[in-house]
Amino acid sequence: MYIAYDMKNGVEYAKLVKSVRHGKDVSKEYKNLGRVIDKEKNIFKSRELGIYQYDLANDYYDKNPDWSGSEAPVEYAKPKEVRKEKLILDFGDTFLIDSFIHANGLTEIIDNCGVHNKDTLYSMICYYILSNTANCHAKTWWEGNFARMRYPMAQMDSQRISEFLAELGSESCYRNFFRAYAPYISDTVGGDNILIDSTGLPNNIHFPLTAISNHNGDINNEVRLIYVTQQSTGLPIYFRYCPGNVIDVSTLTRTIHELKNHGVNTKFSILDAGYYTADNIRELYHNGISFVSRLPEKMTLYKELVAENLDSLESKENLIRYNGRFIYVKRVECNVVDDFRGYAYIGLDISRKEDEDKKLFQRADDQKLTNDEVFDKLRHHGLFVIVSSRPMATDKILPTYYTRQQIEQIFDISKNYADMLPLRVQTEETFRGHLLLTFIACVILKMIQDKLKPTKYNPISMFMNLRNQKCKVYATELLTTEATKIMNDCYKIFKIKCPDEVSLKRG
């Protein structure tokens, strides 16, 4: 037997080597003796025996050696950790969203939802904005994105997301969110004038909200979603939902009352013709809410106004320009409902009349229309009536009414960019959570879109470019890759500075 030595990480170790014969073959057996304390005296230190002296001649271990004069054992020191790259993740898109939320005072509002896992909430907001795929893919997205480091406690498995949506869809989360959001809209953004409209959410989910609807001749299995937006900014203020077979006219008063309960005191509303009924108009007058609405052609008031004013409509003083078109608009005072006075704007869109005239001429022979029938139809082509509780100049009524298009834009953002459709939920609880999450994502997207309006960028192109900026993740920090000119331009629009490095220490 003999003792062999070797060095590991600057520390000398000893081992006992013994030669063993097996017939004609000789092999070696090894036994670790431990760290070398005194090489000349064969004093070692092992985990089992502590400090001891080994007598090679007698194969004896002395556990109480006299090692005075020997150097004290030096504890093992790990070599300085070499900074090793762990991950490469998409960075710029989520970093901009996260920075935008904080810079615009939205953090407190979102936190006010009260969900137990805020990292999941923020991760899902980013996912709804940046990805238009099913929630079952959310974890895959999260694992390859900066959201993984920014919101490390997020639970992104499909089952956990379903539980999260059910929690977010609770009545308490709804009330907490809108209790914080309503003052933000009024105090930070300002303006009390609203737009109200609804849209269908087609689906085949088996729950009570899905019903067959016939909306303007379009028949679907759907849920009806009502959005309220701010006239001055187009930002969504509030939303409600109801079964698909509930008609628009029955939802207006409830929507107004819910707005009041959430602190939104409406002064002026712009309504689609689908909301125009005598009961709804009375409600608006009783609540002191001014309004503008298109008058449906089937209403008796519409027929009376057209009959009384058609012959005097096409006159020089009634001609206005709007959006590159010439339109005749005549204002008359009238009883809108009961004894409530208001103003009617009888209009004739010349371009629209020409288009409808051509279509009539093309089908007149096929439908065997008489000259008298053609004449009667021609007289009503291009006509419309808008009713208002306030007097407005005739050249202002159309720009005011057509701010309604802003709510159509919100529906477009929600459905096509904020992951509202298709619906991939199974219960009303998760459906409510999905709608609130979509609403929050839509608010952020609309604000981002408004910032980009004066530029050549839109949210899609901007996020696609920013996603190409990566980050390299290390043990305690991440390093961002260099931003291109387009990326820097996008950051400058939002007055966001892209860092060279980001600490991963929480808090």
Side-chain angles (χ1 to χ4, degrees), residues 50 65 75 139-140 158 180 215 281 320 469:
E75 294 299 323
K139 186 175 182 180
T140 302
S158 293
H215 196 77
I281 299 304
I320 66 168
Q469 185 183 22

Side-chain angles (χ1 to χ4, degrees), residues 5-16:
Y5 302 90
D6 53 19
M7 299 290 293
K8 293 182 180 179
N9 297 320
V11 178
E12 190 173 24
Y13 292 88
K15 58 185 175 182
L16 185 65

Side-chain angles (χ1 to χ4, degrees), residues 38 54 59 74 82 84 106 145 169 175 201 222 225 249 296 333 398 464 468 488 493 496:
D38 190 320
Y54 178 66
D59 191 23
V74 179
V82 178
K84 188 177 291 185
L106 294 169
N145 191 275
R175 294 187 182 186
L201 303 180
E222 65 181 26
L225 179 66
V249 294
E333 192 172 356
L398 288 176
M464 286 184 69
N468 287 332
N488 279 325
I493 292 168
I496 292 172

Side-chain angles (χ1 to χ4, degrees), residues 13-239:
Y13 292 88
K15 58 185 175 182
L16 185 65
V17 184
K18 182 179 181 181
S19 298
V20 180
R21 179 177 293 279
H22 302 281
K24 296 182 179 180
D25 299 324
V26 177
S27 63
K28 292 184 178 181
E29 296 179 353
Y30 299 92
K31 183 177 182 180
N32 289 324
L33 296 175
R35 191 182 310 169
V36 176
I37 302 300
D38 190 320
K39 196 171 185 178
E40 292 182 1
K41 296 180 179 179
N42 285 346
I43 296 176
F44 310 106
K45 181 181 180 181
S46 72
R47 187 173 298 172
E48 297 82 8
L49 301 175
I51 295 176
Y52 67 95
Q53 187 174 29
Y54 178 66
D55 183 349
L56 179 61
N58 299 303
D59 191 23
Y60 174 73
Y61 298 85
D62 183 359
K63 296 182 182 180
N64 296 297
D66 179 11
W67 55 285
S68 58
S70 302
E71 292 186 8
V74 179
E75 294 299 323
Y76 172 73
K78 289 185 178 180
K80 200 168 185 178
E81 183 179 355
V82 178
R83 192 163 68 167
K84 188 177 291 185
E85 180 184 303
K86 295 182 176 181
L87 293 168
I88 297 179
L89 305 172
D90 295 342
F91 175 77
D93 48 4
T94 293
F95 173 74
L96 185 137
I97 294 172
D98 181 73
S99 300
F100 183 85
I101 288 172
H102 290 284
N104 287 273
L106 294 169
T107 308
E108 184 177 351
I109 297 167
I110 295 171
D111 287 350
N112 212 60
C113 288
V115 294
H116 78 280
N117 191 324
K118 293 180 183 178
D119 280 12
T120 302
L121 174 58
Y122 282 96
S123 292
M124 289 301 294
I125 290 171
C126 293
Y127 182 66
Y128 270 41
I129 292 174
L130 297 173
S131 178
N132 195 26
T133 53
N135 288 343
C136 61
H137 303 298
K139 186 175 182 180
T140 302
W141 167 85
W142 179 81
E143 288 177 339
N145 191 275
F146 170 59
R148 173 177 180 172
M149 313 310 298
R150 181 66 183 88
Y151 314 116
M153 303 305 292
Q155 297 181 339
M156 303 296 282
D157 296 299
S158 293
Q159 182 60 36
R160 302 290 82 78
I161 290 175
S162 295
E163 293 169 358
F164 160 76
L165 290 177
E167 180 187 11
L168 185 62
S170 67
E171 185 64 26
S172 61
C173 284
Y174 263 52
R175 294 187 182 186
N176 290 339
F177 173 80
F178 284 109
R179 190 181 296 120
Y181 182 62
Y184 174 84
I185 285 289
S186 298
D187 300 339
T188 307
V189 182
D192 296 313
N193 298 349
I194 63 169
L195 314 171
I196 301 177
D197 205 350
S198 67
T199 188
L201 303 180
N203 68 88
N204 290 310
I205 304 170
H206 297 291
F207 65 168
L209 294 170
T210 299
I212 297 176
S213 73
N214 184 349
H215 196 77
N216 297 327
D218 187 17
I219 299 175
N220 282 300
N221 273 339
E222 65 181 26
V223 178
R224 204 78 199 153
L225 179 66
I226 303 154
Y227 255 46
V228 181
T229 64
Q230 193 173 48
Q231 183 194 7
S232 58
T233 63
L235 280 172
I237 299 175
Y238 185 66
F239 74 91

Side-chain angles (χ1 to χ4, degrees), residues 304-330:
E304 292 174 351
L305 289 167
V306 168
E308 293 171 7
N309 296 280
L310 184 58
D311 292 336
S312 59
L313 182 56
E314 295 184 57
S315 62
K316 182 178 179 180
E317 63 271 16
N318 293 334
L319 189 64
I320 66 168
R321 293 189 184 194
Y322 171 68
N323 202 21
R325 302 161 77 100
F326 286 93
I327 301 171
Y328 291 105
V329 178
K330 180 181 179 181

